[in-house]
Structure formats: C-alpha cells, structure tokens
Amino acid sequence: MSAVRGRFISFEGADGAGKSTQARLLAERLRDAGHTVTLTREPGGSPGAEEIRKLLVEGDPARWSAEAEILLFNAARRDHLERRIAPALAKGHIVISDRFADSTRVYQGVARAELRDLVDRLHALMIGTEPDLTLVVDLDSPTGLSRGLARQSGEDRFEELGASFQARLRAGFRALAEEFPERVKLVDGAGRPEDVAARIWPHVAALL
Ligand code: TMP
C-alpha cells in the first residue's frame, strides 16, 4: 500500500472539538477547487468497519478492556484502509479521514491506559500507513465535552468517561504534535467554524 498518489489528511482531537465540522468544510473547499475528495471517518468508513464501530462506541464504558479495544480499532482500520482509503489514494483522491491512528495512540495509548508501545507495534504490523498531514483541532476540554454530550448521539461511550479523561486526551494530542512536528499540526479550535477553517487552510495549501 505504499505507491500512494493522492493525499491523505486526518483530523484529530478530543470529543466535541469540532473536527467533524472542519473535515466537512475542508472537503467542500477542496471539491469547490476541483479536487476529487473522499471524506471518511474512523472508527468506520467501510461497511465492515462501521459494524465494528457500533461495538466500540455504544454501551457501558467498561464493556471492553483497553487491549481488546486496540484490537477492534485495528481490525476496523485495516478494513477501512484496504477497502476505502488505499483504493481512493491509488485513484489520486484527496482522502480526508475524521480520525485515524493517532486516535488510538492517544485514547488507548495514553488516556485510557499506558499502552502506547502495544499500539505502536500493532500499527506497524497491521496498518503501516500514516497520513501526509494530521490536523489536531485543539479546544479547551470543558467546552468540547459539553458539545459532545449535548449531541446525545447514543455514541457516548468515551465521552461518558468524564472531564479528567477529556483533559488527558487534549494533553495526549498536544504531545503528538510535538512528537511528529512535520506531520501533525495543532490548530486552535476556538471561535466560529469559518475562523477555525481559515487556520487550517494554510497547512493544506502547503501540502497540495
Ligand atoms: P467520533 O466520536 O469522533 O466518531 O469517535 C468515536 C469515539 O471513538 C471517540 O470517543 C474516540 C474513540 N476512538 C478511540 O478511542 N480510538 C480510536 O482509534 C478511534 C478512531 C476512536
């Protein structure tokens, strides 16, 4: 899966930071500029991975151990990569994914448990692909948490883990931006969606 011709962009951040809105706005802007865009999400993005998503995001927060969760996220990601991301990149599309492997690095690697080494080894074995650009939408945790829960989507398994968990997530994503400064860009998520989009655009323009 290495002969990539398109561009792969991921959005990351704690729950409610506004990354899904930003992923959609970026897809619209790129399509308006004449690019072919595949807009997708994780967990999910392919029929099999969407089925695994339901197992992951619904129900009791204690439903899975962190280790079992890592395996499920990787199973979903592998299917998503094989069936959706890699074929789109091979056709030259710009693929925008609302979350990718950095979510596992942060949620399962540091926020829920300290399993970063396991996360990295499984990623290297089964995924082995990184986005060309990762945009972390960074927002003050209480604001993000209230936005996420206000949605009452029935997909609150992680959001129900509480404010201190959300704070660990934010710190985890900020640390990733320091660890991978070339690829991972931190974007201030405060303000109106169009203001956040304007902060994102220069990073994308630099990639194209
Ligand atoms: P979403 O709300 O952005 O659709 O993501 C669903 C939840 O799954 C969210 O709380 C983050 C969590 N998640 C992980 O814990 N690890 C992962 O690898 C991914 C992709 C998502």
Side-chain angles (χ1 to χ4, degrees), residues 12-13 15-16 19-20 41-43 53 56-57 69 73 77 98-105 107-108 112 151 155-159 165-166 169:
E12 297 282 1
D15 305 276
K19 68 187 165 38
S20 305
R41 69 165 182 183
E42 288 207 350
R53 176 187 177 93
L56 281 160
V57 299
E69 239 172 56
F73 279 115
R77 183 162 303 131
D98 181 351
R99 297 196 186 280
F100 191 66
D102 295 310
S103 280
T104 317
R105 292 188 178 105
Y107 279 78
Q108 285 69 43
R112 285 211 68 194
R151 270 184 225 133
E155 291 195 337
D156 295 337
R157 197 176 147 248
F158 293 94
E159 289 161 39
F165 179 68
Q166 295 296 323
L169 290 177

mmCIF file of all heavy atoms in Angstrom, residues 12-13 15-16 19-20 41-43 53 56-57 69 73 77 98-105 107-108 112 151 155-159 165-166 169, ligand 1:
data_model
loop_
_atom_site.group_PDB
_atom_site.id
_atom_site.type_symbol
_atom_site.label_atom_id
_atom_site.label_comp_id
_atom_site.label_asym_id
_atom_site.label_seq_id
_atom_site.Cartn_x
_atom_site.Cartn_y
_atom_site.Cartn_z
ATOM 1 N N GLU A 12 -7.960 15.132 13.924
ATOM 2 C CA GLU A 12 -7.932 14.505 15.246
ATOM 3 C C GLU A 12 -8.307 15.527 16.310
ATOM 4 O O GLU A 12 -8.265 16.738 16.074
ATOM 5 C CB GLU A 12 -6.519 13.972 15.547
ATOM 6 C CG GLU A 12 -6.037 12.868 14.614
ATOM 7 C CD GLU A 12 -6.624 11.496 14.941
ATOM 8 O OE1 GLU A 12 -7.443 11.376 15.890
ATOM 9 O OE2 GLU A 12 -6.258 10.541 14.243
ATOM 10 N N GLY A 13 -8.625 15.031 17.489
ATOM 11 C CA GLY A 13 -8.938 15.907 18.609
ATOM 12 C C GLY A 13 -9.816 15.188 19.601
ATOM 13 O O GLY A 13 -10.330 14.098 19.317
ATOM 14 N N ASP A 15 -13.224 14.644 21.957
ATOM 15 C CA ASP A 15 -14.629 14.650 21.544
ATOM 16 C C ASP A 15 -15.202 16.063 21.636
ATOM 17 O O ASP A 15 -14.999 16.759 22.618
ATOM 18 C CB ASP A 15 -15.427 13.705 22.449
ATOM 19 C CG ASP A 15 -14.818 12.309 22.445
ATOM 20 O OD1 ASP A 15 -15.136 11.550 21.529
ATOM 21 O OD2 ASP A 15 -14.002 12.020 23.344
ATOM 22 N N GLY A 16 -15.932 16.478 20.598
ATOM 23 C CA GLY A 16 -16.595 17.783 20.625
ATOM 24 C C GLY A 16 -15.687 18.949 20.264
ATOM 25 O O GLY A 16 -16.088 20.098 20.376
ATOM 26 N N LYS A 19 -13.847 18.746 15.058
ATOM 27 C CA LYS A 19 -13.078 18.224 13.923
ATOM 28 C C LYS A 19 -13.968 17.706 12.802
ATOM 29 O O LYS A 19 -13.595 17.815 11.637
ATOM 30 C CB LYS A 19 -12.092 17.153 14.392
ATOM 31 C CG LYS A 19 -12.791 15.954 14.859
ATOM 32 C CD LYS A 19 -11.935 14.923 15.483
ATOM 33 C CE LYS A 19 -12.847 13.970 16.214
ATOM 34 N NZ LYS A 19 -14.135 13.647 15.550
ATOM 35 N N SER A 20 -15.152 17.164 13.132
ATOM 36 C CA SER A 20 -16.012 16.631 12.060
ATOM 37 C C SER A 20 -16.521 17.760 11.181
ATOM 38 O O SER A 20 -16.565 17.637 9.951
ATOM 39 C CB SER A 20 -17.197 15.855 12.654
ATOM 40 O OG SER A 20 -16.710 14.855 13.519
ATOM 41 N N ARG A 41 -14.427 8.430 7.848
ATOM 42 C CA ARG A 41 -14.260 8.581 9.298
ATOM 43 C C ARG A 41 -13.829 7.267 9.937
ATOM 44 O O ARG A 41 -14.001 6.190 9.371
ATOM 45 C CB ARG A 41 -15.571 9.009 9.932
ATOM 46 C CG ARG A 41 -16.634 7.906 9.899
ATOM 47 C CD ARG A 41 -17.751 8.220 10.841
ATOM 48 N NE ARG A 41 -18.771 7.158 10.855
ATOM 49 C CZ ARG A 41 -19.882 7.233 11.568
ATOM 50 N NH1 ARG A 41 -20.138 8.290 12.304
ATOM 51 N NH2 ARG A 41 -20.761 6.243 11.559
ATOM 52 N N GLU A 42 -13.298 7.395 11.153
ATOM 53 C CA GLU A 42 -12.995 6.213 11.975
ATOM 54 C C GLU A 42 -13.537 6.419 13.382
ATOM 55 O O GLU A 42 -13.564 7.557 13.853
ATOM 56 C CB GLU A 42 -11.482 5.998 12.047
ATOM 57 C CG GLU A 42 -10.913 5.509 10.745
ATOM 58 C CD GLU A 42 -9.637 4.691 10.926
ATOM 59 O OE1 GLU A 42 -9.094 4.662 12.040
ATOM 60 O OE2 GLU A 42 -9.204 4.082 9.950
ATOM 61 N N PRO A 43 -13.888 5.381 14.116
ATOM 62 C CA PRO A 43 -13.986 4.038 13.570
ATOM 63 C C PRO A 43 -15.113 3.977 12.549
ATOM 64 O O PRO A 43 -16.159 4.590 12.761
ATOM 65 C CB PRO A 43 -14.274 3.168 14.799
ATOM 66 C CG PRO A 43 -14.869 4.098 15.814
ATOM 67 C CD PRO A 43 -14.247 5.426 15.555
ATOM 68 N N ARG A 53 -17.631 -0.333 14.485
ATOM 69 C CA ARG A 53 -17.856 0.939 15.198
ATOM 70 C C ARG A 53 -18.944 0.811 16.269
ATOM 71 O O ARG A 53 -18.780 1.289 17.386
ATOM 72 C CB ARG A 53 -18.251 2.038 14.197
ATOM 73 C CG ARG A 53 -18.583 3.364 14.880
ATOM 74 C CD ARG A 53 -19.139 4.408 13.921
ATOM 75 N NE ARG A 53 -19.491 5.602 14.654
ATOM 76 C CZ ARG A 53 -18.666 6.647 14.837
ATOM 77 N NH1 ARG A 53 -17.483 6.659 14.300
ATOM 78 N NH2 ARG A 53 -19.066 7.684 15.552
ATOM 79 N N LEU A 56 -17.852 -0.556 19.385
ATOM 80 C CA LEU A 56 -16.886 0.267 20.120
ATOM 81 C C LEU A 56 -17.509 1.482 20.802
ATOM 82 O O LEU A 56 -17.104 1.836 21.909
ATOM 83 C CB LEU A 56 -15.787 0.741 19.156
ATOM 84 C CG LEU A 56 -14.738 -0.317 18.850
ATOM 85 C CD1 LEU A 56 -14.001 0.012 17.561
ATOM 86 C CD2 LEU A 56 -13.752 -0.429 20.006
ATOM 87 N N VAL A 57 -18.441 2.143 20.141
ATOM 88 C CA VAL A 57 -18.863 3.450 20.666
ATOM 89 C C VAL A 57 -20.153 3.400 21.475
ATOM 90 O O VAL A 57 -20.501 4.384 22.123
ATOM 91 C CB VAL A 57 -18.993 4.522 19.548
ATOM 92 C CG1 VAL A 57 -17.665 4.745 18.848
ATOM 93 C CG2 VAL A 57 -20.087 4.176 18.556
ATOM 94 N N GLU A 69 -10.001 -3.288 22.987
ATOM 95 C CA GLU A 69 -10.359 -2.118 22.182
ATOM 96 C C GLU A 69 -9.330 -1.863 21.081
ATOM 97 O O GLU A 69 -9.684 -1.569 19.938
ATOM 98 C CB GLU A 69 -10.357 -0.897 23.098
ATOM 99 C CG GLU A 69 -11.662 -0.185 23.169
ATOM 100 C CD GLU A 69 -11.595 0.866 24.247
ATOM 101 O OE1 GLU A 69 -10.707 1.728 24.218
ATOM 102 O OE2 GLU A 69 -12.454 0.803 25.122
ATOM 103 N N PHE A 73 -10.174 -1.587 17.153
ATOM 104 C CA PHE A 73 -9.875 -0.400 16.344
ATOM 105 C C PHE A 73 -8.955 -0.768 15.182
ATOM 106 O O PHE A 73 -9.120 -0.249 14.066
ATOM 107 C CB PHE A 73 -9.244 0.710 17.190
ATOM 108 C CG PHE A 73 -10.252 1.521 17.971
ATOM 109 C CD1 PHE A 73 -10.260 1.499 19.360
ATOM 110 C CD2 PHE A 73 -11.188 2.304 17.321
ATOM 111 C CE1 PHE A 73 -11.187 2.245 20.076
ATOM 112 C CE2 PHE A 73 -12.125 3.053 18.033
ATOM 113 C CZ PHE A 73 -12.121 3.023 19.417
ATOM 114 N N ARG A 77 -9.727 -0.432 11.295
ATOM 115 C CA ARG A 77 -8.816 0.411 10.492
ATOM 116 C C ARG A 77 -8.265 -0.368 9.296
ATOM 117 O O ARG A 77 -8.144 0.169 8.193
ATOM 118 C CB ARG A 77 -7.688 0.938 11.382
ATOM 119 C CG ARG A 77 -6.731 1.887 10.674
ATOM 120 C CD ARG A 77 -5.924 2.697 11.676
ATOM 121 N NE ARG A 77 -6.839 3.421 12.535
ATOM 122 C CZ ARG A 77 -6.772 3.444 13.876
ATOM 123 N NH1 ARG A 77 -5.794 2.824 14.506
ATOM 124 N NH2 ARG A 77 -7.669 4.093 14.573
ATOM 125 N N ASP A 98 -11.906 11.613 9.293
ATOM 126 C CA ASP A 98 -12.248 12.141 10.610
ATOM 127 C C ASP A 98 -11.789 11.078 11.617
ATOM 128 O O ASP A 98 -12.485 10.102 11.826
ATOM 129 C CB ASP A 98 -13.762 12.362 10.632
ATOM 130 C CG ASP A 98 -14.278 12.938 11.928
ATOM 131 O OD1 ASP A 98 -13.499 13.026 12.897
ATOM 132 O OD2 ASP A 98 -15.472 13.277 11.966
ATOM 133 N N ARG A 99 -10.595 11.237 12.130
ATOM 134 C CA ARG A 99 -9.819 10.330 12.987
ATOM 135 C C ARG A 99 -9.091 9.260 12.174
ATOM 136 O O ARG A 99 -9.568 8.775 11.161
ATOM 137 C CB ARG A 99 -10.663 9.621 14.057
ATOM 138 C CG ARG A 99 -11.312 10.553 15.061
ATOM 139 C CD ARG A 99 -11.784 9.747 16.269
ATOM 140 N NE ARG A 99 -12.524 10.551 17.204
ATOM 141 C CZ ARG A 99 -11.955 11.369 18.102
ATOM 142 N NH1 ARG A 99 -10.662 11.457 18.186
ATOM 143 N NH2 ARG A 99 -12.694 12.084 18.926
ATOM 144 N N PHE A 100 -7.923 8.887 12.671
ATOM 145 C CA PHE A 100 -7.159 7.747 12.138
ATOM 146 C C PHE A 100 -6.287 7.229 13.288
ATOM 147 O O PHE A 100 -6.701 7.319 14.466
ATOM 148 C CB PHE A 100 -6.354 8.167 10.879
ATOM 149 C CG PHE A 100 -5.751 7.024 10.118
ATOM 150 C CD1 PHE A 100 -6.554 6.095 9.472
ATOM 151 C CD2 PHE A 100 -4.356 6.848 10.056
ATOM 152 C CE1 PHE A 100 -5.989 5.015 8.781
ATOM 153 C CE2 PHE A 100 -3.792 5.782 9.365
ATOM 154 C CZ PHE A 100 -4.607 4.873 8.727
ATOM 155 N N ALA A 101 -5.102 6.735 13.006
ATOM 156 C CA ALA A 101 -4.311 6.013 14.009
ATOM 157 C C ALA A 101 -3.900 6.863 15.211
ATOM 158 O O ALA A 101 -3.670 6.316 16.302
ATOM 159 C CB ALA A 101 -3.077 5.416 13.352
ATOM 160 N N ASP A 102 -3.810 8.175 15.050
ATOM 161 C CA ASP A 102 -3.429 8.996 16.214
ATOM 162 C C ASP A 102 -4.472 8.916 17.320
ATOM 163 O O ASP A 102 -4.140 9.076 18.495
ATOM 164 C CB ASP A 102 -3.199 10.450 15.799
ATOM 165 C CG ASP A 102 -2.015 10.585 14.861
ATOM 166 O OD1 ASP A 102 -0.939 10.037 15.189
ATOM 167 O OD2 ASP A 102 -2.163 11.208 13.800
ATOM 168 N N SER A 103 -5.726 8.662 16.948
ATOM 169 C CA SER A 103 -6.746 8.483 17.998
ATOM 170 C C SER A 103 -6.419 7.269 18.865
ATOM 171 O O SER A 103 -6.606 7.309 20.079
ATOM 172 C CB SER A 103 -8.141 8.308 17.380
ATOM 173 O OG SER A 103 -8.685 9.555 17.010
ATOM 174 N N THR A 104 -5.953 6.197 18.251
ATOM 175 C CA THR A 104 -5.589 5.026 19.049
ATOM 176 C C THR A 104 -4.365 5.331 19.904
ATOM 177 O O THR A 104 -4.289 4.923 21.066
ATOM 178 C CB THR A 104 -5.316 3.804 18.147
ATOM 179 O OG1 THR A 104 -6.312 3.749 17.131
ATOM 180 C CG2 THR A 104 -5.351 2.512 18.946
ATOM 181 N N ARG A 105 -3.398 6.047 19.315
ATOM 182 C CA ARG A 105 -2.198 6.411 20.099
ATOM 183 C C ARG A 105 -2.590 7.187 21.352
ATOM 184 O O ARG A 105 -2.003 7.000 22.421
ATOM 185 C CB ARG A 105 -1.248 7.266 19.262
ATOM 186 C CG ARG A 105 -0.614 6.511 18.121
ATOM 187 C CD ARG A 105 0.475 7.308 17.400
ATOM 188 N NE ARG A 105 1.063 6.476 16.361
ATOM 189 C CZ ARG A 105 0.825 6.625 15.046
ATOM 190 N NH1 ARG A 105 0.079 7.608 14.590
ATOM 191 N NH2 ARG A 105 1.369 5.794 14.190
ATOM 192 N N TYR A 107 -6.113 7.760 22.678
ATOM 193 C CA TYR A 107 -7.173 7.191 23.531
ATOM 194 C C TYR A 107 -6.699 5.929 24.241
ATOM 195 O O TYR A 107 -6.860 5.802 25.450
ATOM 196 C CB TYR A 107 -8.429 6.876 22.709
ATOM 197 C CG TYR A 107 -9.317 8.065 22.441
ATOM 198 C CD1 TYR A 107 -8.981 8.989 21.461
ATOM 199 C CD2 TYR A 107 -10.487 8.271 23.166
ATOM 200 C CE1 TYR A 107 -9.797 10.081 21.204
ATOM 201 C CE2 TYR A 107 -11.307 9.362 22.910
ATOM 202 C CZ TYR A 107 -10.952 10.260 21.931
ATOM 203 O OH TYR A 107 -11.763 11.339 21.683
ATOM 204 N N GLN A 108 -6.165 4.976 23.460
ATOM 205 C CA GLN A 108 -5.774 3.707 24.071
ATOM 206 C C GLN A 108 -4.317 3.729 24.537
ATOM 207 O O GLN A 108 -3.941 2.964 25.419
ATOM 208 C CB GLN A 108 -5.995 2.548 23.084
ATOM 209 C CG GLN A 108 -7.449 2.141 22.898
ATOM 210 C CD GLN A 108 -8.276 3.193 22.167
ATOM 211 O OE1 GLN A 108 -7.835 3.775 21.178
ATOM 212 N NE2 GLN A 108 -9.485 3.441 22.670
ATOM 213 N N ARG A 112 -6.675 6.139 28.247
ATOM 214 C CA ARG A 112 -7.363 5.057 28.961
ATOM 215 C C ARG A 112 -6.381 4.148 29.680
ATOM 216 O O ARG A 112 -6.699 3.538 30.679
ATOM 217 C CB ARG A 112 -8.160 4.193 27.973
ATOM 218 C CG ARG A 112 -9.419 4.822 27.484
ATOM 219 C CD ARG A 112 -10.446 3.747 27.203
ATOM 220 N NE ARG A 112 -10.887 3.090 28.428
ATOM 221 C CZ ARG A 112 -11.563 1.950 28.450
ATOM 222 N NH1 ARG A 112 -11.845 1.323 27.354
ATOM 223 N NH2 ARG A 112 -11.940 1.431 29.593
ATOM 224 N N ARG A 151 -24.922 16.452 22.040
ATOM 225 C CA ARG A 151 -25.440 15.796 20.836
ATOM 226 C C ARG A 151 -26.333 14.610 21.143
ATOM 227 O O ARG A 151 -27.134 14.219 20.325
ATOM 228 C CB ARG A 151 -24.260 15.294 20.003
ATOM 229 C CG ARG A 151 -23.791 16.313 19.040
ATOM 230 C CD ARG A 151 -22.693 15.711 18.196
ATOM 231 N NE ARG A 151 -21.628 16.657 18.113
ATOM 232 C CZ ARG A 151 -20.353 16.400 18.286
ATOM 233 N NH1 ARG A 151 -19.969 15.162 18.566
ATOM 234 N NH2 ARG A 151 -19.466 17.329 18.181
ATOM 235 N N GLU A 155 -23.717 7.553 21.169
ATOM 236 C CA GLU A 155 -22.356 7.076 20.921
ATOM 237 C C GLU A 155 -21.412 7.698 21.936
ATOM 238 O O GLU A 155 -20.348 8.179 21.603
ATOM 239 C CB GLU A 155 -21.906 7.479 19.514
ATOM 240 C CG GLU A 155 -22.630 6.751 18.405
ATOM 241 C CD GLU A 155 -21.920 6.910 17.068
ATOM 242 O OE1 GLU A 155 -21.169 7.879 16.900
ATOM 243 O OE2 GLU A 155 -22.113 6.040 16.205
ATOM 244 N N ASP A 156 -21.832 7.707 23.189
ATOM 245 C CA ASP A 156 -21.097 8.468 24.194
ATOM 246 C C ASP A 156 -20.198 7.607 25.081
ATOM 247 O O ASP A 156 -19.813 8.030 26.156
ATOM 248 C CB ASP A 156 -22.080 9.236 25.090
ATOM 249 C CG ASP A 156 -22.828 10.296 24.302
ATOM 250 O OD1 ASP A 156 -22.312 10.715 23.252
ATOM 251 O OD2 ASP A 156 -23.922 10.681 24.738
ATOM 252 N N ARG A 157 -19.885 6.409 24.623
ATOM 253 C CA ARG A 157 -19.138 5.505 25.493
ATOM 254 C C ARG A 157 -17.854 6.148 26.011
ATOM 255 O O ARG A 157 -17.518 6.022 27.174
ATOM 256 C CB ARG A 157 -18.821 4.205 24.745
ATOM 257 C CG ARG A 157 -18.422 3.107 25.679
ATOM 258 C CD ARG A 157 -18.184 1.783 25.000
ATOM 259 N NE ARG A 157 -17.129 1.149 25.750
ATOM 260 C CZ ARG A 157 -15.924 0.928 25.302
ATOM 261 N NH1 ARG A 157 -15.611 1.221 24.077
ATOM 262 N NH2 ARG A 157 -15.022 0.404 26.089
ATOM 263 N N PHE A 158 -17.141 6.885 25.160
ATOM 264 C CA PHE A 158 -15.900 7.513 25.593
ATOM 265 C C PHE A 158 -16.165 8.845 26.267
ATOM 266 O O PHE A 158 -15.520 9.200 27.239
ATOM 267 C CB PHE A 158 -14.950 7.698 24.403
ATOM 268 C CG PHE A 158 -14.470 6.391 23.866
ATOM 269 C CD1 PHE A 158 -15.111 5.768 22.817
ATOM 270 C CD2 PHE A 158 -13.386 5.757 24.446
ATOM 271 C CE1 PHE A 158 -14.684 4.552 22.343
ATOM 272 C CE2 PHE A 158 -12.946 4.528 23.973
ATOM 273 C CZ PHE A 158 -13.600 3.930 22.916
ATOM 274 N N GLU A 159 -17.164 9.580 25.748
ATOM 275 C CA GLU A 159 -17.441 10.893 26.321
ATOM 276 C C GLU A 159 -17.897 10.764 27.762
ATOM 277 O O GLU A 159 -17.682 11.634 28.584
ATOM 278 C CB GLU A 159 -18.489 11.611 25.460
ATOM 279 C CG GLU A 159 -17.874 12.018 24.117
ATOM 280 C CD GLU A 159 -18.889 12.304 23.027
ATOM 281 O OE1 GLU A 159 -19.915 12.897 23.335
ATOM 282 O OE2 GLU A 159 -18.622 11.927 21.880
ATOM 283 N N PHE A 165 -10.722 12.700 31.899
ATOM 284 C CA PHE A 165 -10.351 11.904 30.726
ATOM 285 C C PHE A 165 -10.189 12.815 29.505
ATOM 286 O O PHE A 165 -9.227 12.708 28.745
ATOM 287 C CB PHE A 165 -11.430 10.845 30.472
ATOM 288 C CG PHE A 165 -11.169 9.970 29.275
ATOM 289 C CD1 PHE A 165 -10.121 9.062 29.279
ATOM 290 C CD2 PHE A 165 -11.970 10.040 28.150
ATOM 291 C CE1 PHE A 165 -9.876 8.251 28.180
ATOM 292 C CE2 PHE A 165 -11.739 9.234 27.050
ATOM 293 C CZ PHE A 165 -10.691 8.337 27.065
ATOM 294 N N GLN A 166 -11.131 13.739 29.349
ATOM 295 C CA GLN A 166 -11.046 14.671 28.213
ATOM 296 C C GLN A 166 -9.772 15.519 28.305
ATOM 297 O O GLN A 166 -9.149 15.823 27.293
ATOM 298 C CB GLN A 166 -12.291 15.566 28.153
ATOM 299 C CG GLN A 166 -13.589 14.807 27.857
ATOM 300 C CD GLN A 166 -13.606 14.144 26.484
ATOM 301 O OE1 GLN A 166 -13.095 14.694 25.507
ATOM 302 N NE2 GLN A 166 -14.174 12.951 26.394
ATOM 303 N N LEU A 169 -6.917 13.485 27.131
ATOM 304 C CA LEU A 169 -6.941 13.403 25.664
ATOM 305 C C LEU A 169 -6.293 14.640 25.048
ATOM 306 O O LEU A 169 -5.478 14.542 24.138
ATOM 307 C CB LEU A 169 -8.384 13.333 25.155
ATOM 308 C CG LEU A 169 -9.152 12.063 25.416
ATOM 309 C CD1 LEU A 169 -10.573 12.222 24.892
ATOM 310 C CD2 LEU A 169 -8.477 10.869 24.745
HETATM 311 P P1 TMP B 1 -16.075 10.021 16.989
HETATM 312 O O1 TMP B 1 -16.961 10.496 18.103
HETATM 313 O O2 TMP B 1 -15.055 11.002 16.570
HETATM 314 O O3 TMP B 1 -16.865 9.464 15.839
HETATM 315 O O4 TMP B 1 -15.221 8.780 17.579
HETATM 316 C C1 TMP B 1 -15.839 7.771 18.311
HETATM 317 C C2 TMP B 1 -15.125 7.529 19.604
HETATM 318 O O5 TMP B 1 -14.109 6.540 19.438
HETATM 319 C C3 TMP B 1 -14.460 8.754 20.169
HETATM 320 O O6 TMP B 1 -14.838 8.878 21.548
HETATM 321 C C4 TMP B 1 -12.993 8.462 20.042
HETATM 322 C C5 TMP B 1 -12.917 6.959 20.076
HETATM 323 N N1 TMP B 1 -11.757 6.382 19.372
HETATM 324 C C6 TMP B 1 -10.784 5.698 20.088
HETATM 325 O O7 TMP B 1 -10.868 5.593 21.304
HETATM 326 N N2 TMP B 1 -9.718 5.151 19.417
HETATM 327 C C7 TMP B 1 -9.612 5.219 18.059
HETATM 328 O O8 TMP B 1 -8.650 4.700 17.485
HETATM 329 C C8 TMP B 1 -10.637 5.937 17.316
HETATM 330 C C9 TMP B 1 -10.537 6.032 15.826
HETATM 331 C C10 TMP B 1 -11.688 6.498 18.013
#
